[in-house]
Amino acid sequence: MSVSGSESALWRGRSVPSFRETAASNTRGVVPTRDEIAVELAVARARTAVVPALTTYDLRAYYGSTEILHGVNLAFPYRQVTAIIGPSGCGKSTLLRCLNRMHELTPGASVKGRVLLGNQDIYAPDVDPVALRRKIGMVFQRPNPFPTMSIFDNVAAALRWHRVVRRHELADRVEQALRMAALWDEVKDRLHENALGLSGGQQQRLCIARALAIEPEILLMDEPASALDPISTGHIEELIVQLRSRYTVLIVTHNMQQAARISDYTAFMLMGELIEFSPTATLFTNPSDSRTEAYVTGRFG
Amino acid sequence: MKDVSVFTPAGRLLSSGLVSAVYRRRRLMDLLMTGLAGLAVLVAVVPLFSILISVAIRGLSALNLDFFTKMPVPIGETGGGVLNAIVGSGILVGLGTLIGLPIGLLSAIYLAEYGRGRLADTIRLFTEVMSGVPSIVVGIFAYAIVVRPLHHFSALAGGVALGILMIPVVTRTAEEMIRMVPQSLREAGLALGLPRWRVTVSIVLPSAASGIVTGAMLAVARIAGETAPLLFTALNNAFFSTSLLRPIASLPVQIYTYATSPYEELHRIAWGAVFVLVMMVLITNLLTRLAVRSGYEMKR
Ligand SMILES: Nc1ncnc2c1ncn2[C@@H]1O[C@H](COP(=O)(O)OP(=O)(O)O)[C@@H](O)[C@H]1O
Ligand SMILES: [Mg+2]
């Protein structure tokens, strides 16, 4: 994982010079130096292997003195969908909430360990959690649109608060976000009606649009479809697959078929511990831990 | 009953005797309790309506344009109005609201959104206690902190007394309303990278607004009718005054003065003033309800 230097450029999505470009810029002859080889290897590895957008080291979460997460080490790959599965109460939501520093907002809750966004420790003392949360969007289990606002304002509010865009660009950005959340066509004629008039599935997509509008780098989703009917769930799943090209998505789900359908990687948790993290296909078909196998084959959980 | 017996012999057994007896007893009990509850409602409503009706009958006859636009006339003459008391009440209630509403609302925000631990518990306790303190005691307090230093009764002192009375009422209702805003909305705001204060101002308060406004209006209505704390503070004034530093007339005190006087004519005017006061409270309540509801519908 130690791609150093180029790592931060990578997760921000800047283009990385290809092996050939790097070789061409090698002006000192045919034989590359040791350093150059090292750089090229690192770049090549970054292209093929997992580049983490978010990494946790020995992450422990507490409610009061009760330890809920017992040292989780995980690297969430950049611009991939990672599903987090596990029986209820195993700490999936807690893990997610540690990643955007929402956990510490619960009275008595605390966190130990490190979480790196790119290569910045988000728990470093000089990191402003409020600024951090802007970069790491979150969608909750129950749709929670702002009840006093119109559909338009639900999306526009955060843009206004963060002064992301100028006034005349606001409508465009709202439209863009609503399109990205596959909601535009359904709401374009009622943008100024109250958001509570939408169906549950539409409300959830509105919440996704709201989160996407301010262009976070990572999107955390805590069972975003568990309160929805199958059709709305389908909409959300399609949407997540599309978001993959632009966002790093972490999704907690109870539904293993869903995890299998939409995710690239899957993390399996049990009682506050990470049991297995693998490419989704591997985890479901050829798990390396017997507990994972028992869970995915439905033998417990 | 019959349906049950279709299924099992046991069901038949149950439905044949036991169930219907229990059911009959429950129905009787239900009837009795509903009757008692209805009676209680009647007991509560009858005095209310009889008050409203007698106030309306006696008060309306005293009302005319002069009542609202003229000053009181000397005893012995008929006619005149209570313009000074109406304006005085307006000033006192306005001043009280100006003092009580912001303090009450800010305390409520603190208690509901930020207050944790000892300090918050203490403040909450004080608020509880304060809302139970007799209003006359608040009047004495205002007398001590405003009238004594300034050496005379004043509208300002009356406003302070009413404001202090208003604080706990506003705090308690507003805190409750703010607490009712679901936590998930706060989290939605925080997850978008908003600072706490922004979440409070832009998300929580608007969501609680209708409840807060209703609570504030009830508080205004409550202080509008207060008499006792004004006796030591605003006193009364037979003349028209809008000065904050001089004694000022008010409807409740005027009613008190007139009603305890021996003159028939003054009793008549007192009834008129009672009617005006009741109407003011009633209309404020209705208007808020309407405003809150139309605001709510607009949002839909
Ligand atoms: N506010 C809280 N206070 C105390 N314990 C909590 C709180 N929230 C969750 N927990 C506990 O933390 C554990 C993990 O919860 P959670 O992360 O919500 O699990 P999951 O999302 O996997 O179902 C559970 O055992 C739960 O009881
Ligand atoms: Mg959960």
Side-chain angles (χ1 to χ4, degrees):
Chain A
M1 231 53 14
S2 63
V3 191
S4 69
S6 56
E7 178 185 296
S8 64
L10 269 176
W11 64 260
R12 286 209 187 85
R14 296 204 192 104
S15 65
V16 176
S18 73
F19 197 96
R20 193 167 300 174
E21 281 161 355
T22 323
S25 70
N26 174 3
T27 50
R28 264 191 292 120
V30 190
V31 184
T33 64
R34 274 174 68 108
D35 283 354
E36 281 163 348
I37 290 171
V39 167
E40 282 162 12
L41 278 177
V43 169
R45 200 162 65 217
R47 299 196 142 243
T48 52
V50 175
V51 176
L54 206 53
T55 321
T56 72
Y57 294 102
D58 194 33
L59 183 66
R60 291 164 190 275
Y62 302 82
Y63 283 112
S65 55
T66 318
E67 193 175 88
I68 303 291
L69 297 178
H70 311 297
V72 172
N73 293 298
L74 248 175
F76 294 101
Y78 173 72
R79 289 202 178 174
Q80 302 278 310
V81 176
T82 303
I84 301 169
I85 61 170
S88 164
C90 69
K92 306 181 295 294
S93 301
T94 307
L95 172 63
L96 225 52
R97 293 166 63 87
C98 287
L99 302 180
N100 66 345
R101 296 191 62 173
M102 292 282 283
H103 179 69
E104 69 207 53
L105 295 173
T106 309
S110 58
V111 179
K112 275 188 199 155
R114 294 212 300 159
V115 177
L116 302 192
L117 173 66
N119 47 19
Q120 166 72 54
D121 183 358
I122 66 169
Y123 282 99
D126 55 344
V127 169
D128 172 11
V130 171
L132 172 83
R133 288 184 205 117
R134 234 213 87 170
K135 292 187 171 193
I136 304 186
M138 188 161 196
V139 176
F140 299 82
Q141 184 166 2
R142 303 213 144 262
N144 54 0
F146 300 131
T148 55
M149 295 182 196
S150 67
I151 294 168
F152 182 90
D153 284 334
N154 257 275
V155 181
L159 291 170
R160 289 201 193 101
W161 291 327
H162 291 301
R163 299 181 203 286
V164 180
V165 288
R166 288 173 191 286
R167 244 239 195 88
H168 63 272
E169 294 166 330
L170 195 64
D172 284 346
R173 275 293 283 272
V174 170
E175 176 176 343
Q176 200 185 325
L178 286 169
R179 280 188 191 282
M180 224 181 326
L183 189 60
W184 176 253
D185 290 329
E186 289 160 59
V187 301
K188 61 172 186 267
D189 301 320
R190 48 195 288 208
L191 284 175
H192 297 287
E193 287 172 29
N194 186 277
L196 294 184
L198 298 174
S199 74
Q202 290 172 325
Q203 287 186 15
Q204 192 62 306
R205 277 178 283 152
L206 180 64
C207 293
I208 296 175
R210 184 175 67 185
L212 294 179
I214 52 171
E215 303 197 323
E217 292 170 6
I218 292 173
L219 193 61
L220 309 176
M221 303 175 111
D222 192 350
E223 305 192 33
S226 68
L228 306 181
D229 63 90
I231 295 187
S232 308
T233 305
H235 281 304
I236 306 262
E237 287 185 10
E238 264 168 50
L239 175 60
I240 293 169
V241 172
Q242 279 165 21
L243 291 180
R244 186 173 166 276
S245 61
R246 305 181 54 173
Y247 295 93
T248 302
V249 179
L250 274 56
I251 174 172
V252 168
T253 173
H254 245 108
N255 179 333
M256 280 185 276
Q257 285 78 32
Q258 185 174 64
R261 277 195 298 269
I262 60 174
S263 69
D264 302 293
Y265 290 84
T266 300
F268 170 60
M269 290 180 64
L270 201 58
M271 289 159 56
E273 275 177 90
L274 175 71
I275 304 298
E276 185 165 352
F277 175 77
S278 311
T280 298
T282 314
L283 189 129
F284 281 103
T285 56
N286 189 17
S288 50
D289 192 292
S290 58
R291 289 167 292 178
T292 315
E293 190 178 359
Y295 186 73
V296 299
T297 54
R299 271 186 276 134
F300 79 89
Chain B
M1 284 311 105
K2 275 187 189 128
D3 299 2
V4 183
S5 60
V6 181
F7 293 105
T8 59
R12 182 181 298 276
L13 252 175
L14 280 175
S15 71
S16 57
L18 253 165
V19 170
S20 58
V22 167
Y23 181 59
R24 203 173 305 134
R25 201 164 63 230
R26 280 191 190 148
R27 241 187 1 191
L28 225 78
M29 205 59 186
D30 182 42
L31 217 69
L32 186 71
M33 285 301 160
T34 314
L36 282 178
L39 202 68
V41 170
L42 212 68
V43 168
V45 165
V46 163
L48 181 70
F49 271 95
S50 74
I51 290 172
L52 281 181
I53 288 168
S54 63
V55 165
I57 291 171
R58 307 217 205 176
L60 269 174
S61 66
L63 295 191
N64 49 37
L65 193 62
D66 283 357
F67 187 87
F68 295 100
T69 55
K70 292 251 167 71
M71 293 292 297
V73 289
I75 290 165
E77 294 177 32
T78 54
V82 290
L83 177 66
N84 58 340
I86 292 176
V87 171
S89 259
I91 289 175
L92 286 170
V93 170
L95 200 58
T97 307
L98 224 55
I99 296 168
L101 193 60
I103 298 180
L105 190 56
L106 288 174
S107 323
I109 292 172
Y110 170 76
L111 288 176
E113 296 290 291
Y114 299 92
R116 293 260 151 75
R118 268 300 234 319
L119 180 64
D121 288 343
T122 313
I123 294 176
R124 207 168 284 125
L125 180 72
F126 271 107
T127 311
E128 296 278 320
V129 172
M130 248 173 88
S131 61
V133 168
S135 55
I136 196 156
V137 175
V138 175
I140 296 170
F141 177 71
Y143 176 85
I145 64 163
V146 185
V147 178
R148 284 288 287 278
L150 296 178
H151 303 296
H152 51 79
F153 298 105
S154 63
L156 182 65
V160 168
L162 296 186
I164 294 173
L165 272 170
M166 197 172 172
I167 293 172
V169 185
V170 172
T171 304
R172 290 179 62 179
T173 50
E175 186 193 351
E176 211 150 294
M177 293 304 145
I178 293 172
R179 278 186 188 283
M180 267 163 52
V181 174
Q183 197 56 27
S184 66
L185 288 183
R186 296 186 182 86
E187 294 198 331
L190 293 170
L192 284 170
L194 302 186
R196 283 286 291 278
W197 69 267
R198 195 78 229 216
V199 171
T200 303
V201 171
S202 304
I203 299 169
V204 177
L205 289 184
S207 304
S210 61
I212 294 176
V213 170
T214 313
M217 279 303 150
L218 290 177
V220 168
R222 150 131 206 239
I223 62 168
E226 281 293 347
T227 320
L230 297 179
L231 295 175
F232 312 99
T233 51
L235 200 65
N236 201 347
N237 193 332
F239 304 100
F240 187 86
S241 164
T242 53
S243 164
L244 291 186
L245 294 176
R246 264 183 262 151
I248 200 165
S250 61
L251 282 171
V253 175
Q254 199 84 324
I255 291 166
Y256 171 75
T257 320
Y258 283 1
T260 49
S261 79
Y263 304 101
E264 199 55 43
E265 173 67 11
L266 293 187
H267 291 177
R268 211 176 56 82
I269 292 180
W271 276 110
V274 168
F275 182 76
V276 169
L277 195 57
V278 169
M279 277 302 140
M280 268 163 56
V281 171
L282 216 68
I283 289 170
T284 333
N285 270 328
L286 286 179
L287 281 183
T288 0
R289 255 157 227 264
L290 244 115
V292 166
R293 187 171 310 159
S294 70
Y296 198 64
E297 262 151 27
M298 220 164 55
K299 281 185 247 149
R300 298 248 126 201

